[in-house]
Amino acid sequence: MRTYPIYHVPYGKTELAFELPSAMRGTLALSRPAEPLADLGSAAAHALAHPVNSPPLRELAESGSRVCIVFTDITRACPDHVLVPAMLAELEGAGVKDENITLLCGTGLHRASSPEEKRIKLGKGVVDRYRVIDHDPTNGEALVDLGKTKEGIPLSLHRTAYEADLLIATGIVEPHQYAGYSGGGKTVAIGAGGEAVIAFTHGPSMVDHPGTRVGKIEGNLFQAAVREASRKGGLKFIVNVVQDEKQRPVAVYAGEPEATFVKLVEAARTLYEVPIPHRYDVAVAGVGFPKDLNLYQATRAVSYLFYAPTCVLKEGGVFVLPASTPEGVGQGLGERRFLEKMGSAPDAASLVAELRRTGYPPGAQRAFIMAKVLEKTHVVVVGSQTPDTVKALKMIPALNMNDAFQRPSPLYQDRRKGTAKLK
């Protein structure tokens, strides 16, 4: 009797185990193994004591300094509960007063973080001791205009971050559809930027640009805008991590933002970039918690594979996305705009044409991205707690992996012979 391999894919805080149908054969693409850091706290302290191209943090700060730390929101699995206390210890050592420190959650256009999420991200002791606030990119009075880039991208920044004597950020360096790799100055430039910069950097011209691709840094207009915004905003110091597929930190660096980001990307490339031998008929991918809290974030698993330097799927192929999505599309303004645009169009192709013609508000870029995906492929979402929202987004809900593979579709059958034709 033939034994079929069992595959595992992230789903919420656990995994889904599944076998492929007998007519299919699969290729497993995994990030390369790396030794997790034995103690992130100690590693972060060492990074802070030996920063890249910068004096140590406690030498950058003075007793009277106003400090702003921009940290990632709940949709990012960055271990801020370790990184931020390590930074605060350095600031305390420099004599900075608690009342002069503000912790700003870089939400971008996502919803504000709840009190419980702040405690999860930072730890109860930090939340109780320091001022912790959320960014709001739609509040013009809370923003400072930083001018425009040479490409005409309007830049702005949360006033508290801009007016700080010392601006610091956390982040996680991982593949990113627009920036090539996330982290670095992005936590500040986008996470604490105004609606206009988010709109422009996520607009159709940026998404269509060949330099805006997963894993691409040089020639990437989005990345260039992030660098310029963080420079103009006064970002002086970052502490970022690289994590493996199980969200275990494997590298942490601190220091001057751009030089530190380069080192982090080098570490991330050795982990995340693997060759794909050819394009496939079906691709299964999941992002797990916290990204699969909602469909806005979870669909990154699909769009990253679609927008890779070479799309991993053949035209007409099927993406299978296990995602629990208890929040449905998501609760922020950007997420609501995603649903509105996707639900208002008769089909993906017409939506792509419309949004190229009219543009779209920030957040709705997810509709443009996924419409381009759905124009060429199909997306089946497995195990969603909100299947009606999946349908409204023009994707196909499936109860489980077997349901996804057995769903009747001409994509799964050779029309002439009625036999399976998948790889």
Side-chain angles (χ1 to χ4, degrees), residues 242-414:
V242 176
Q243 298 184 141
D244 66 11
E245 61 181 11
K246 295 183 178 179
Q247 298 178 0
R248 299 175 301 185
V250 299
V252 56
Y253 290 104
E256 187 277 324
E258 293 182 26
T260 305
F261 181 65
V262 168
K263 288 187 71 67
L264 288 152
V265 169
E266 289 174 354
R269 286 193 191 280
T270 64
L271 190 70
Y272 290 119
E273 297 187 11
V274 296
I276 301 295
H278 55 80
R279 298 176 70 185
Y280 291 81
D281 298 297
V282 178
V284 179
V287 289
F289 178 86
K291 284 286 197 294
D292 74 352
L293 281 171
N294 62 61
L295 285 156
Y296 185 98
Q297 296 290 348
T299 51
R300 291 170 183 260
V302 168
S303 59
Y304 280 30
L305 295 181
F306 184 87
Y307 284 92
T310 299
C311 177
V312 304
L313 209 62
K314 296 176 182 176
E315 187 166 337
V318 179
F319 286 108
V320 178
L321 169 63
S324 59
T325 66
E327 293 184 356
V329 70
Q331 300 170 4
L333 176 60
E335 287 85 346
R336 295 196 301 273
R337 286 171 172 172
F338 172 38
L339 177 61
E340 178 185 356
K341 288 294 183 183
M342 291 296 290
S344 66
D347 55 63
S350 62
L351 182 57
V352 170
E354 174 194 340
L355 296 181
R356 277 206 180 105
R357 183 178 68 254
T358 64
Y360 43 77
Q365 81 278 348
R366 197 79 206 143
F368 183 62
I369 289 164
M370 288 308 298
K372 290 182 70 174
V373 172
L374 292 166
E375 187 181 24
K376 302 292 185 182
T377 68
H378 293 249
V379 178
V380 178
V381 181
V382 176
S384 172
Q385 297 177 37
T386 53
D388 289 342
T389 305
V390 172
K391 292 178 183 177
L393 293 170
K394 297 178 171 49
M395 295 180 282
I396 304 165
L399 291 174
N400 50 49
M401 295 298 287
N402 286 337
D403 182 30
F405 290 133
Q406 294 172 9
R407 185 165 291 276
S409 166
L411 294 170
Y412 288 84
Q413 300 292 323
D414 184 316

Side-chain angles (χ1 to χ4, degrees), residues 8-17 245-246:
H8 298 265
V9 65
Y11 176 79
K13 294 183 179 181
T14 60
E15 293 181 329
L16 287 183
E245 61 181 11
K246 295 183 178 179

Side-chain angles (χ1 to χ4, degrees), residues 70 108 160 172 238 311:
V70 185
T160 299
I172 177 171
I238 64 170
C311 177

